[in-house]
Structure formats: structure tokens, C-alpha cells
Amino acid sequence: MNKPQATYALCDVNSFYVSCERMFRPDLYGKPVIVLSNNDGCIIALSDEAKALGIPMAAPYHEARPIIQKHKVTCFSSNYGLYGDISKRFNWILEQHCDQVAPYSVDESFMRFEGFQNDLTQRAQAIRSELWRCLSLPVCIGLGPTKTLAKVANHFAKKHKTTTHGVVDLSNPATRKWALKQIAVAKIWGIGRQLSKKLILQDIHTAWDLHNADYKTLQRMFSVNMERTILELRGQPCLKFSELPEPKKSILNSRSFGKPLSIYSDLKEAVAHHTSRCCEKLRNQSSLASSITVFLYGQRKELVYHNRPSVTLQLPEPTDDTSIFLQAVEQGLRHIVKAGESYKKAGIMLNGIVDSHGYQPDIFEGVPQRPELMESLDKINRRYGQDTVKFGSLGFAKNWAMRANSCSPHYTSRWQDILKLS
């Protein structure tokens, strides 16, 4: 007896950052809302009402300010702590309704259904209803026999929300053929603008054209990924469905400052903060790192950073101990900071990453490892909030912090910001 084929789904939250802000501000439903990027620089999320006013995505805030003020558009600074926590809750609800969930980004996740006898369109509608009831998140869901087709289905579900009620299923060959004929080849997941130009030269303009192309010929012309995409469009799963992302080969954390910094102690606090965040990510994926790079960006002139000092420090052996990296970072920072020079941005990158499980340390020149201390630190901060317990190098002044003049409270991740009902 043949095993029934699995069905894949992509669940995507509409205007995720805006939806998170509206969750605790129901007075904003039906009104134009935007969310700004780091340092309140550019527009990175818009409600449908804001889009209808003609406000462009990714536009600098100062350029859009006249129309924002004219129509009294509500603006928020990015609140990544809130968005990350809501994303975890979003995925937890999805896990209650399917076999597996694989987060793709902060606002969209793939789901895998296998052996379900009931109508998956109805199940998808039930998921939409529960996400709205529990989190007030409006979502669209695309269904298909492969991840690529689920992505295409999600595109149509978002584009035609009213007629599709937010769910499109491309499992039916006839429906699939119609949809693939409507979508440009550049819109297919993994193709993009540059690759689509080369495909158009081969007289491949739509997803249906690519579906019918000779995948062996295109595989020789481009890559094996092109062959997989074509087979996925034909309904043959080729992409791995993984519940956990692959461990990163390098880990980066960087931010622009809210104002230019020239004082060494402020710069030290900033790079210590980035180091701590990188080490948390390192431990979360059960890895060790053997080198760390510190970099600074000077003031920009004519949109170009002319002064970009950096230094890479090699440790005797891989570790995940934050204090060891902090000591190395301080040594490196003293070599690249110039007195009287102002800096606009700083960052940290960890390299030489290996799996911590089964790693055999050097018994002669080993770096002292304190896994119990790091584990306790992470547990406390996960339970009571980030930086509840931290190293003194991170400081308290935060003169380097990004500009966030319109940041909403951390409703779900800080005790002092929890809503109080009187």
C-alpha cells in the first residue's frame, strides 16, 4: 500500500509588525499604521490603510513625513523583543494543528500534514480562526504538495484575501495550472530578479513556462537548485523539511548608534552588548567558536563609510563562554579605536564555529570552560527577561542605544510593561 503524499502549507502573518502593535492597541484597527526600522530611519511595515495612502515601503521616514502628518498616521519604532515573543506564540499554535512546523522567518512558517483524512482547507481556516482568537493575528495560508507550491499558493491567498478567505490549495492539478500561468517567473521562490532575466531569454516568462521546461537542460545551464525548483512546481518534493534550522557557520550582531560616539567607555559597552548577544546565539545552537572579529564604522561622507577599522582575535580553542570573548574584545577594541574619532556603528562576528557535542578540548592549553555558569545565566534571562543577569562590561548608561522615539512597551516580555486592568 502506497504511503499517502504529505501536504505542505505556508502560514504568513499579514503586516506582522503592525499586527503585533495592534494586538495591544485595538483602537488602531482600520487606521493607517507604520513601523520604522533601526534608529527610526526607514518604513519597514505598513497597514493596508497606510498602503492605500501611497506611502511606499522602505522609504526614508523624513521623505514620507508630510503625508504621515497630513493623514495622522500612527508610527512605531521597531520593538523586536515584542515581535520575537509573539512569533514564538504564533508557532506554538501552529504546532497544535499539524505534524511538523519549520519557521522560515519571524512572520511565516512552513507546516507539514501527513495522513490527514479531513479537508485541509477547512483545517487551514480553523488555524486562521484560532490565531485571530488567541493572538489577533491576521494570516494567509497556502497549501500544496511541495514547499514551492505552498509558497505560490500563499502568494495568491494574500493577493486575493477577500475571494479566497485567506486560504488557497494548489493540490488540484487544474487549479495549479491556472495559478502557475498567472504568476511571473521572477515571483517564484528562489528565482529572483537577476535569474528571471536569464530565464526570459530562454522564453520562460511564467511559472507555468518553467514548469514545462526541460529541467536537465536548465540544470546544466544554471544549477541543481533550478532542477529542484522545476520538480517542486510539478508536485515532486525536493526541498528538505527541517524543524530546526541548520547551525550557522558564522554569527553576526551589529547596530548603528543613536548618535555618533567617540568616548571609549561607550564603545566598549556597545561591543560588549553585541558580544553577549552573539554568545547567546552560539549556545542556543549548541556550538563553540574559536575566533571573534570586532569592527567599527566611522562617520559617513557622501553615503560612504571611509573609516572602517576591524580586528580579528583567535582564541587558543573554541568556547562559548561570554567572559572569555569579552576579554578578547576589549584587547582588540583598544587597537582600533582612535582618540578623537567618532563612530556611527559597531559589530561583532564569531567564526570558527564547531559543534559543542563531543568536542575534545586541549588538555595542555585548554581555555577554562564554565558550561554550568553559562547555562544558569541563560536560564535566568529566559525566565525573567534579557539582561536580568549580565556581565559588568555591558554597563548601564547605554549611550550607544539606537534611536527609538516611538517604541511601544514590551507587553509580553517585561514585568513592568504588562497591561494592568483597574
Side-chain angles (χ1 to χ4, degrees), residues 317-335:
E317 68 173 348
T319 182
D320 63 3
D321 193 313
T322 304
S323 64
I324 294 173
F325 285 111
L326 289 173
Q327 293 171 24
V329 161
E330 185 170 359
Q331 295 176 16
L333 192 62
R334 293 187 182 278
H335 284 88

Side-chain angles (χ1 to χ4, degrees), residues 218-392:
L218 293 183
Q219 186 265 336
R220 289 192 295 269
M221 293 177 64
F222 299 102
S223 70
V224 69
N225 289 330
M226 179 63 72
E227 178 184 358
R228 290 171 181 162
T229 298
I230 295 171
L231 292 175
E232 286 253 326
L233 289 174
R234 295 180 181 182
Q236 181 178 330
C238 297
L239 300 178
K240 181 180 178 182
F241 189 92
S242 176
E243 291 185 271
L244 297 174
E246 293 293 324
K248 296 180 180 179
K249 301 295 178 64
S250 63
I251 296 176
L252 171 71
N253 207 81
S254 68
R255 290 288 185 275
S256 296
F257 305 137
K259 59 183 179 181
L261 298 180
S262 58
I263 300 174
Y264 176 79
S265 59
D266 292 337
L267 292 168
K268 179 183 172 183
E269 277 191 21
V271 297
H273 170 83
H274 296 316
T275 302
S276 180
R277 295 291 89 83
C278 282
C279 289
E280 288 172 2
K281 296 175 185 177
L282 187 69
R283 292 191 290 271
N284 283 339
Q285 68 174 37
S286 300
S287 298
L288 309 172
S290 59
S291 73
I292 184 167
T293 298
V294 189
F295 58 89
L296 299 171
Y297 281 39
Q299 291 282 64
R300 260 192 328 187
K301 296 177 182 178
E302 297 179 354
L303 303 179
V304 177
Y305 291 102
H306 294 283
N307 180 24
R308 297 173 58 179
S310 66
V311 61
T312 298
L313 303 112
Q314 194 73 31
L315 300 180
E317 68 173 348
T319 182
D320 63 3
D321 193 313
T322 304
S323 64
I324 294 173
F325 285 111
L326 289 173
Q327 293 171 24
V329 161
E330 185 170 359
Q331 295 176 16
L333 192 62
R334 293 187 182 278
H335 284 88
I336 62 175
V337 172
K338 293 182 180 179
E341 188 79 32
S342 293
Y343 298 94
K344 184 61 180 172
K345 183 179 180 180
I348 292 293
M349 178 178 285
L350 300 182
N351 285 302
I353 294 178
V354 298
D355 190 347
S356 63
H357 298 298
Y359 177 76
Q360 181 64 49
D362 189 329
I363 62 173
F364 298 106
E365 297 184 12
V367 174
Q369 306 282 356
R370 300 180 294 176
E372 294 84 3
L373 176 61
M374 293 299 104
E375 184 180 357
S376 298
L377 185 73
D378 292 339
K379 281 184 176 179
I380 292 171
N381 288 331
R382 276 196 296 268
R383 181 170 182 179
Y384 296 104
Q386 200 170 63
D387 290 339
T388 299
V389 177
K390 62 182 181 180
F391 288 88

